[in-house]
Amino acid sequence: MRPFTYVRAGDVAEAVREAARPGAKFLGGGTNLVDLMREDIERPSTLVDITRLPLAEVTEPPGGGLRIGALVRNSHLAAHPLVRARYPVLSQALLSGASAQLRNMATVGGNLLQRTRCLYFYDGAAACNKREPGSGCDAIGGFNRYHAVLGTSESCIATHPSDMAVALAALDAVVEVTGEGGTRRISLGDFHRLPEGTPHLETTLRPGELVTAVELPELPVAARSRYRKVRDRASYAFALVSVAAALEVRDGAVGAVRLALGGVAAKPWRAHEAERVLLGGPATEEAFRQAADAELAAATGRPDNTFKIELARRTVVATLRQLAAEAGTA
């Protein structure tokens, strides 16, 4: 680990001001950043400790929904009664990620910003455009079982590792950020970037901006929602494919639906095409299969990960089937 300067911020304004230094990084739970520093992948010149900032509360705004501070711990958010009652998909996604010890340390803001677990990204001897722009992508011609099949580019096929962010994508979450230019709000769908030719640019954050909160809208359909994660082993493994879904059925037809996929793209993948196919149509297994087919039509597999396309299709259908059954339609 290389030498760095440590600063403990007393308020958000100080944190943003200190983060304007070249090479500065925010430190929250540190569950990803510290590992990357040990591996000499992240090399911050300054760590700005934000753990004392008043950003660790879950509150109900006057207009409904929930406001989740960026420093709320994953374990606390998963157990929060309002999250469990109104947005169960979010609680389930959080509980499926990492160990209990890590969830006790990891924060909401840090979870959004965690970096890929691509083996080549972690291997300093490998070519990785995400780690070293312009060096190439060894994953494309290498072992790519865990890599993306949607939204890839010739520069990068890495996946985003978060479970929580997949649920937030399905829930129309909005990320609040604060920088030297003030505060702005970014939809979760626009917060993460696809790799295209610049995979090292992973979010739409501006230099020095701090994630301060995540806001969830009042979303009645979310009360009947599920997160399904398919992985190589039952504990402490990242998703091969995951599905966050919410479904409302009215007289046998889909009245409202939210769907997002994880483990298959460089960002949490909102399944807009599948939602379009489903909305207003019959809540049947055949309709669920057609929606999955429509969403995955653009998927491109590699020699080791083509199986993910069929796995994603089956996982979407199984998740929607479960929700429809709970609604008494199957």
Side-chain angles (χ1 to χ4, degrees):
M1 189 179 289
R2 302 183 183 215
F4 57 86
T5 300
Y6 171 84
V7 178
R8 175 175 287 171
D11 54 33
V12 170
E14 182 183 4
V16 169
R17 185 169 61 251
E18 293 292 343
R21 300 183 185 188
K25 292 277 186 180
F26 294 115
L27 176 66
T31 55
N32 187 208
L33 176 59
V34 173
D35 283 346
L36 292 173
M37 291 172 64
R38 288 172 176 158
E39 296 292 333
D40 202 33
I41 296 168
E42 291 279 11
R43 304 166 183 173
S45 59
T46 302
L47 284 184
V48 182
D49 186 340
I50 59 172
T51 57
R52 300 297 178 91
L53 302 186
L55 302 174
E57 297 294 328
V58 178
T59 57
E60 294 183 82
L66 285 183
R67 178 181 171 85
I68 304 163
L71 292 177
V72 172
R73 304 292 176 172
N74 286 2
S75 56
H76 176 65
L77 186 61
H80 197 285
L82 293 179
V83 173
R84 295 175 64 183
R86 299 179 187 175
Y87 310 95
V89 64
L90 177 55
S91 178
Q92 293 164 16
L94 287 161
L95 291 173
S96 75
S99 66
Q101 293 90 336
L102 284 172
R103 291 196 299 269
N104 286 338
M105 284 297 298
T107 64
V108 168
N111 192 306
L112 287 175
L113 296 171
Q114 65 180 300
R115 308 200 68 187
T116 184
R117 270 33 178 213
C118 172
L119 298 174
Y120 298 98
F121 173 72
Y122 273 82
D123 181 358
C128 174
N129 288 316
K130 191 177 285 291
R131 189 184 66 249
E132 187 177 342
S135 65
C137 176
D138 278 349
I140 290 178
F143 179 68
N144 43 50
R145 184 171 189 270
Y146 299 102
H147 289 73
V149 296
L150 288 167
T152 61
S153 74
E154 290 304 309
S155 297
C156 183
I157 59 172
T159 58
H160 192 275
S162 174
D163 293 293
M164 181 197 77
V166 180
L168 292 179
L171 294 172
D172 298 327
V174 173
V175 183
E176 180 188 89
V177 303
T178 301
E180 290 188 304
T183 297
R184 63 192 184 108
R185 301 168 79 249
I186 311 168
S187 72
L188 198 286
D190 294 330
F191 183 78
H192 297 101
R193 299 168 54 123
L194 290 176
E196 300 179 332
T198 54
H200 61 292
L201 301 176
E202 297 174 340
T203 72
T204 54
L205 285 174
R206 297 166 185 163
E209 282 189 322
L210 172 67
V211 174
T212 49
V214 173
E215 297 177 352
L216 297 179
E218 192 74 29
L219 197 64
V221 68
R224 178 171 280 116
S225 58
R226 290 289 179 270
Y227 187 74
R228 184 181 289 249
K229 180 176 181 178
V230 182
R231 44 191 162 176
D232 280 332
R233 60 184 190 274
S235 62
Y236 316 148
F238 293 99
L240 291 170
V241 169
S242 65
V243 173
L247 184 69
E248 180 181 296
V249 179
R250 304 169 191 159
D251 298 323
V254 175
V257 61
R258 297 292 189 278
L259 193 66
L261 308 180
V264 295
K267 59 184 283 186
W269 189 267
R270 180 69 179 268
H272 289 293
E273 183 61 21
E275 292 177 355
R276 185 191 67 78
V277 171
L278 286 167
L279 191 61
T284 63
E285 184 153 339
E286 179 58 29
F288 301 156
R289 187 174 295 108
Q290 290 174 359
D293 287 343
E295 190 63 46
L296 294 164
T300 301
R302 303 282 171 173
D304 298 320
N305 74 353
T306 299
F307 76 95
K308 279 193 173 189
I309 301 173
E310 179 60 23
L311 183 61
R313 180 180 292 109
R314 295 186 182 199
T315 308
V316 167
V317 172
T319 308
L320 293 173
R321 183 200 304 129
Q322 178 188 10
L323 287 169
E326 292 171 358
T329 64

